Amino acid sequence: MSCLPAGFSVSGSSSPIFNNRERGSSLSSRVCSSIGGLQFRGSNSKEIWGNTLDFPDQKGFSNWSNKSPNLDPVYAQGTLSFPKKAQKWWEKSLQPNMVEIESAQELVEYLRNAGDRLVVLNFFSPGCGGCKALHPKICQLAESNSNTIFLTVNYEEHKPMCYALHVHVLPFFRFYRGADGKVCSFSCTNATIKKFKDALAKHGTERCSLGPAKGLEEKELLALASIDLISKDLVPLSSPEEEKVQELVEAAKSSSFSIDESKVELKEGNAMVAA
């Protein structure tokens, strides 16, 4: 609803029509044929309060001037319509178990918190015709496999992350499952969709794996951390020296000799066990 002060004038070639919806009400107005406009003289402006101004033609109504700013306002009703935002093809037919990844940090956390559920990582590009053609079928498979998590990564928006993960062909898919981490990866199109269905059937069966979800490989985490896409806290603290020391500790435990673990020392560039 627009508010216009009583006494305003409208300049233009077309003459507006005042439509008084209250029977018996009077209105003091005058049509100025010389300028093709309508003026309200504010002596009785409350009588037109809340009524509607109908304009049959909007041409020429580019200049509005207020003649009496101190008079009571007149309300004119109108309708504004805004066109709906067009939905992008990769946003259509999405299922509740389909999530678009916004950052590398979010990807790592999703994979680590998936438990024993199968996670399908889908790399796509808005300009990829094969990705667009395959999208409806992926949505159908997501609907029929509600216990599987489908994560999508927009290649155009996350190129550094895709480079670090060695993704160079689209559409591209990675399958992750619990403590096994990545169980397979491949590229497929509509013509080779059977490859996707077979992987889904093989790795989507109910089972229980030992240990927490592995997610990305350590070298991939290091690559992402090196370009500040994830926190360094997400990279496991392991090194060949530490692993060697641990192997020695475990070997000592299984032998007839005892070892004081508090005396195990790790020196940079050289692993040394002292008893």
Side-chain angles (χ1 to χ4, degrees):
M1 180 174 288
S2 301
C3 177
L4 301 175
F8 75 90
S9 66
V10 181
S11 300
S13 59
S14 301
S15 297
I17 301 172
F18 181 81
N19 181 12
N20 189 352
R21 302 194 184 279
E22 299 292 336
R23 291 187 177 182
S25 63
S26 60
L27 174 66
S28 175
S29 64
R30 182 178 67 183
V31 176
C32 303
S33 58
S34 60
I35 61 171
L38 179 64
Q39 294 182 339
F40 294 102
R41 304 302 180 184
S43 60
N44 211 4
S45 59
K46 289 187 179 295
E47 295 182 4
I48 59 174
W49 187 284
N51 290 300
T52 304
L53 292 177
D54 294 332
F55 297 98
D57 186 1
Q58 296 182 2
K59 295 180 179 179
F61 284 70
S62 59
N63 298 318
W64 294 71
S65 61
N66 186 358
K67 299 298 183 181
S68 301
N70 296 325
L71 298 177
D72 294 330
V74 174
Y75 288 90
Q77 295 177 345
T79 302
L80 296 177
S81 61
F82 299 95
K84 292 183 178 180
K85 184 180 179 181
Q87 202 172 30
K88 300 170 184 176
W89 66 259
W90 61 90
E91 297 174 340
K92 296 179 180 179
S93 306
L94 295 180
Q95 303 302 314
N97 56 331
M98 300 180 74
V99 180
E100 183 172 350
I101 293 299
E102 300 295 337
S103 67
Q105 185 96 4
E106 185 181 31
L107 172 61
V108 173
E109 292 173 355
Y110 259 108
L111 290 174
R112 289 191 170 180
N113 295 327
D116 200 44
R117 297 175 66 183
L118 177 64
V119 179
V120 177
L121 192 54
N122 174 15
F123 296 88
F124 76 96
S125 172
C128 172
C131 301
K132 182 177 181 180
L134 196 60
H135 177 72
K137 290 188 178 180
I138 298 299
C139 292
Q140 292 175 2
L141 291 170
E143 183 179 14
S144 58
N145 294 270
S146 58
N147 196 45
T148 299
I149 303 172
F150 288 75
L151 304 179
T152 59
V153 178
N154 189 327
Y155 183 88
E156 297 302 324
E157 293 184 357
H158 304 287
K159 285 184 179 180
M161 177 172 67
C162 294
Y163 293 157
L165 299 179
H166 302 288
V167 176
H168 304 294
V169 60
L170 299 172
F172 192 77
F173 300 92
R174 283 185 172 190
F175 284 59
Y176 293 84
R177 187 67 189 262
D180 294 333
K182 183 176 67 176
V183 292
C184 67
S185 60
F186 54 86
S187 177
C188 76
T189 62
N190 259 335
T192 56
I193 187 66
K194 185 177 184 301
K195 187 189 299 185
F196 187 96
K197 293 179 178 179
D198 290 345
L200 200 59
K202 178 180 179 180
H203 302 291
T205 55
E206 292 186 6
R207 62 180 177 82
C208 182
S209 60
L210 299 177
K214 182 179 179 181
L216 298 179
E217 297 177 0
E218 182 177 341
K219 61 181 179 181
E220 293 174 333
L221 294 173
L222 286 170
L224 293 172
S226 67
I227 54 178
D228 296 326
L229 290 182
I230 65 172
S231 170
K232 291 181 174 58
D233 295 337
L234 295 176
V235 182
L237 296 177
S238 63
S239 67
E241 289 80 8
E242 289 174 328
E243 292 176 0
K244 187 174 181 180
V245 170
Q246 188 61 33
E247 289 176 2
L248 290 171
V249 171
E250 294 298 327
K253 285 182 178 179
S254 61
S255 67
S256 58
F257 299 96
S258 61
I259 186 171
D260 185 358
E261 292 187 34
S262 64
K263 294 183 179 180
V264 175
E265 298 180 6
L266 176 64
K267 289 186 177 181
E268 185 177 356
N270 182 33
M272 179 184 70
V273 177

